Amino acid sequence: MIVLLRKETALALLLTGLVGCGGGEAMDGPPPGPGGPGPMAGPDGGPPGGPPGNPAIKKIMVKLAKGPQSLTETIGKELNETPPPWETIQTQSKDYVHESGELVKQEPKKGSKESWEKLTAAWLVSAGELDAAAQAKDQAAAKVAHDALKNSCKECHQAHRTMGPPGGPGGPGGGPPPGGPPPA
């Protein structure tokens, strides 16, 4: 029964995301915030010299999950308040569903289309569960859905996120410290 409900929820949310909820921003240009994509990013938000990333995906992920001002972090803090500010969370959770629907429509530059569809559909289901719990003012269910969203990053990022070389600018292990190796 729960599996059937989840499939129906996923389908409804997917259709909502594909049709659009209105009120969203255009997904062109660099992500919001000072400095744009950052010093280690190429012109399109991907790693310098590596495969280009999708700037629309980056913009959505910044809003949803990057930093203390992201919806994920903000909602998480608010869900720990007693009582939670439900009117605020309800608005934020609707925005989360909308942005998640936009994410489903994107094409990653890395990984298979099938994997992207599977992972973003699961993300959209969790976002819908968060919104349903927020609308019902069900703190326990909202926390479960929020945790599912927070814990789904690694699998998707391993399959689809374009990254720079391992270890940062110096490659694996980070290279020697600035100024060369220490004297022997």
Side-chain angles (χ1 to χ4, degrees), residues 23 25 28 35 42 62 67 77 87 91 94-95 118 121 126 128 131 136 143-144 154-155 165 169 171 179-180:
E25 298 176 27
D28 297 332
V62 164
K77 289 175 189 166
E87 292 74 26
T91 300
K94 284 195 177 304
D95 194 20
K118 174 187 152 209
S126 294
D131 184 48
K143 284 184 173 186
V144 168
K154 186 175 182 180
E155 183 181 6

Side-chain angles (χ1 to χ4, degrees), residues 3 67 79 90-91 104 114 130 145 169:
V3 172
L79 285 173
Q90 290 166 342
T91 300
V104 169
E114 294 78 20
L130 173 64

Side-chain angles (χ1 to χ4, degrees), residues 22-28 30 32 59-60 63 95 98-99 102:
E25 298 176 27
M27 292 292 153
D28 297 332
K59 184 175 182 179
I60 293 166
K63 183 171 186 176
D95 194 20
H98 172 76
E99 293 296 328
E102 292 298 314

Side-chain angles (χ1 to χ4, degrees), residues 19-49:
V19 172
C21 297
E25 298 176 27
M27 292 292 153
D28 297 332
M40 294 304 297
D44 64 350

Side-chain angles (χ1 to χ4, degrees), residues 48-104:
N54 179 328
I57 293 172
K58 181 168 180 74
K59 184 175 182 179
I60 293 166
M61 292 309 300
V62 164
K63 183 171 186 176
L64 292 177
K66 185 171 181 167
Q69 301 302 314
S70 69
L71 284 173
T72 301
E73 290 296 316
T74 303
I75 292 170
K77 289 175 189 166
E78 292 166 350
L79 285 173
N80 287 322
E81 295 178 22
T82 306
W86 287 116
E87 292 74 26
T88 302
I89 294 172
Q90 290 166 342
T91 300
Q92 293 165 332
S93 66
K94 284 195 177 304
D95 194 20
Y96 210 111
V97 169
H98 172 76
E99 293 296 328
S100 297
E102 292 298 314
L103 190 64
V104 169

